[in-house]
Amino acid sequence: MSAVSRTSAMLVAALLAACATTALGKAPEPVTAIVGVTVIHPERAADAAVAKNSTVIIVGNRIETVGPSETTRLPAGATVIDGKGKWVVPGLVDSHIHFFQSGNLYTRPDVADFRRWMPYKEEVARNQARLPTTFKVWLASGVTSVVDVGGPFWNFEIRDTARRNPAAPRVAVAGPLLSTIDDSPLDLGDPPIIKVTTTDEARALVRRELERKPDFIKFWFIYDKGDDLTAREAIVKAAADAAHAAGVRFAVHATELAVAKAALRAGADYLVHSVEDEPIDAEFIALARGRHALYCPTLFVLMGYDYALSGTWEATEAEQRLADPEILGAMHDLKRIPKELIPERLTKRMNERKPVALPLVAMQNLRKVWDAGIPVAMGTDAGNIGTLHGPAVFREMELMREAGLTPLEVLRSATVNGALALGMERDLGAIAPGKLADLVILDADPLADVANLSRASRVFKDGKSFVPADLIRSLQ
Ligand SMILES: [Zn+2]
């Protein structure tokens, strides 16, 4: 570069810097100080995770300072929040959800067919129209980011809508699930699940999705006894290779040990469910470690189906406070639907009155996966029947606790490891200087009881403050 052009480059740089300063000068960034609060650091070991009597200073959308209240000076003009008797944790991340599903009885006609009572088209239109509400229930539950791991192509528009809407969580998305099987009841012209039967078809669909800049390519790896697993693995691998060539991570639904191993061999970066059929083994652990794969347990989701479709679903206390009232109101519709419109299979199930079972194998595997050092991301599979957007996280975290994780480990999976799932580990997952200001102020100690994570009195997302009760009151 010549001396002249270097000088002009410096001039331009100086001018640009001056412009930026003027622009900032016009609108000073809001400053908030949370004073006297107990900060929980889920990224740290248990003996260093709690910092009592701390001050957290938020400038604009970032955390600027975290320090002892005694020695941390408050900036002039800061809005001060009294944090005495309160706890602050990083914003929660649900690493497995689906916006195209609502959690009610009508949202999966391929599993439970109520279409003669409620057309699926109406259910999906309702979900689309209801998005601003769904965004708010996530925030009210302290969940400041979600990963939608698969839906119709309009999933990409949901991500755009969330980016424009301040009262929305951060949203990462996958487009339609590539699948080894058909799922036609869900096809309204923009299906959430698309069957691919050859490696070429798999690559072609990945290419179509890559145009929309997905955060993940997702494969629904369904395997039935008698299927040729090796042939299927080749199709999954073709999709994985195409995703990786574009620098996009590859998420796989694979719930049996043999299939999960095949998924990892094919290139899975993210297993979006537990291995639920048998105990994981050394080979699985080696494969998962080799790929640095993330693991999402989704312990509650099948119980949600069982409760809802046997007529025994009851809202938890957190769901009563924080779920979308319209969905809550529809959860007992089985009592309203004329008997002749209920599929026979479900009537039988209701009459059986079988108690809902815990996913014991998945729970045992969770502890093993955790102890093997495979990062576990908390995720609910919200939107499936009986698993409600927002407060379902508290059901899920309670089960993780029952599976043997400590409250701090559960919180780590919902924050530090959630940031990994989002691909935002540099910006999220901890209360630390420089991180984005996504955090939750709690009225009760989350390390004494994970249920206390539902006790948010204030939620910050990207530096903006929300009061959960106000968010819920504002729902139509
Ligand atoms: Zn799912």
Side-chain angles (χ1 to χ4, degrees):
M1 193 188 274
S2 74
V4 174
S5 65
R6 191 182 302 129
T7 312
S8 53
M10 282 164 67
L11 244 171
V12 170
L15 272 170
L16 282 175
C19 289
T21 314
T22 320
L24 288 175
K26 271 184 195 158
E29 297 196 283
V31 180
T32 304
I34 309 164
V35 179
V37 76
T38 298
V39 177
I40 308 290
H41 295 287
E43 76 281 17
R44 297 185 187 168
D47 58 357
V50 179
K52 289 184 178 162
N53 198 15
S54 297
T55 291
V56 179
I57 297 172
I58 299 166
V59 179
N61 70 338
R62 299 256 171 198
I63 297 168
E64 192 188 72
T65 311
V66 183
S69 291
E70 281 175 8
T71 53
T72 304
R73 278 186 45 199
L74 301 187
T79 303
V80 174
I81 295 173
D82 183 4
K84 273 193 225 72
K86 295 182 190 290
W87 288 257
V88 64
V89 298
L92 306 179
V93 182
D94 190 328
S95 295
H96 186 153
I97 77 143
H98 299 281
F99 280 115
F100 81 99
Q101 303 179 150
S102 67
N104 72 17
L105 299 173
Y106 315 120
T107 214
R108 283 300 293 268
D110 55 336
V111 179
D113 190 356
F114 295 105
R115 286 176 295 180
R116 285 190 297 155
W117 168 257
M118 174 67 72
Y120 182 53
K121 216 163 55 181
E122 274 179 42
E123 158 66 7
V124 171
R126 203 199 62 79
N127 293 344
Q128 286 176 317
R130 198 83 178 149
L131 256 184
T133 291
T134 308
F135 288 158
K136 282 181 181 175
V137 298
W138 279 115
L139 280 188
S141 301
V143 178
T144 50
S145 301
V146 295
V147 183
D148 183 320
V149 290
F153 269 99
W154 54 263
N155 248 11
F156 296 108
E157 288 151 39
I158 294 177
R159 183 179 57 184
D160 296 340
T161 309
R163 280 178 184 159
R164 284 193 302 268
N165 183 345
R170 298 174 197 279
V171 173
V173 290
L177 284 65
L178 287 78
S179 168
T180 48
I181 59 163
D182 251 331
D183 201 349
S184 54
L186 303 183
D187 189 355
L188 300 170
D190 178 10
I193 295 170
I194 300 177
K195 184 179 179 182
V196 288
T197 51
T198 64
T199 51
D200 279 344
E201 278 178 24
R203 280 187 284 266
L205 180 51
V206 171
R207 265 199 303 278
R208 262 176 74 204
E209 299 197 14
L210 286 173
E211 287 169 18
R212 307 295 294 271
K213 305 220 174 315
D215 298 285
F216 286 97
I217 295 290
K218 160 89 174 281
F219 208 108
W220 205 43
F221 196 171
I222 304 297
Y223 174 76
D224 292 316
K225 267 213 172 73
D227 293 340
D228 181 346
L229 188 59
T230 313
R232 296 229 159 146
E233 188 180 319
I235 296 172
V236 177
K237 183 171 188 313
D241 289 348
H244 290 156
V248 174
R249 289 182 294 165
F250 191 62
V252 184
H253 166 121
T255 53
E256 303 84 9
L257 182 60
V259 183
K261 284 181 189 174
L264 290 165
R265 279 194 301 268
D269 304 294
Y270 183 18
L271 293 177
V272 300
H273 291 291
S274 286
V275 169
E276 56 192 32
D277 65 331
E278 53 182 312
I280 60 159
D281 57 14
E283 187 189 11
F284 173 87
I285 290 170
L287 284 165
R289 278 194 187 141
R291 288 220 47 77
H292 302 286
L294 267 172
Y295 181 98
C296 184
T298 66
L299 297 174
F300 178 70
V301 63
L302 294 180
M303 295 176 71
Y305 275 97
D306 279 347
Y307 282 126
L309 297 175
S310 61
T312 58
W313 193 94
E314 294 296 338
T316 61
E317 181 275 332
E319 281 163 345
Q320 287 169 21
R321 272 190 294 124
L322 298 167
D324 178 352
E326 195 173 292
I327 302 300
L328 278 180
M331 290 311 290
H332 299 287
D333 276 6
L334 273 182
K335 295 194 183 97
R336 279 194 326 129
I337 303 172
K339 285 231 158 35
E340 63 274 19
L341 299 186
I342 297 178
E344 200 183 328
R345 198 168 48 84
L346 294 180
T347 317
K348 256 179 132 175
R349 192 159 162 181
M350 279 187 277
N351 293 337
E352 275 173 16
R353 297 179 182 278
K354 252 195 351 218
V356 172
L358 288 169
L360 292 177
V361 177
M363 290 168 80
Q364 284 155 12
N365 279 340
L366 170 54
R367 188 68 242 183
K368 286 183 191 164
V369 165
W370 186 282
D371 290 340
I374 296 160
V376 172
M378 188 277 293
T380 57
D381 213 351
N384 278 284
I385 297 178
T387 303
L388 272 48
H389 289 283
V393 293
F394 307 114
R395 291 199 193 245
E396 185 66 27
M397 292 191 288
E398 194 62 50
L399 283 175
M400 293 172 87
R401 178 81 188 92
E402 277 179 49
L405 266 56
T406 67
L408 181 64
E409 288 169 339
V410 173
L411 184 62
R412 192 175 300 155
S413 78
T415 55
V416 183
N417 296 347
L420 282 174
L422 288 163
M424 293 185 72
E425 57 272 26
R426 255 186 280 168
D427 280 319
L428 292 175
I431 309 279
K435 297 278 183 189
L436 287 167
D438 286 14
L439 44 93
V440 184
I441 302 178
L442 300 164
D443 287 338
D445 181 359
L447 300 189
D449 183 350
V450 286
N452 290 339
L453 286 166
S454 81
R455 297 275 152 211
S457 56
R458 213 182 265 259
V459 178
F460 283 85
K461 185 246 165 172
D462 210 34
K464 286 182 197 69
S465 162
F466 300 90
V467 174
D470 293 347
L471 283 169
I472 297 300
R473 253 195 304 274
S474 76
L475 303 180
Q476 302 288 311

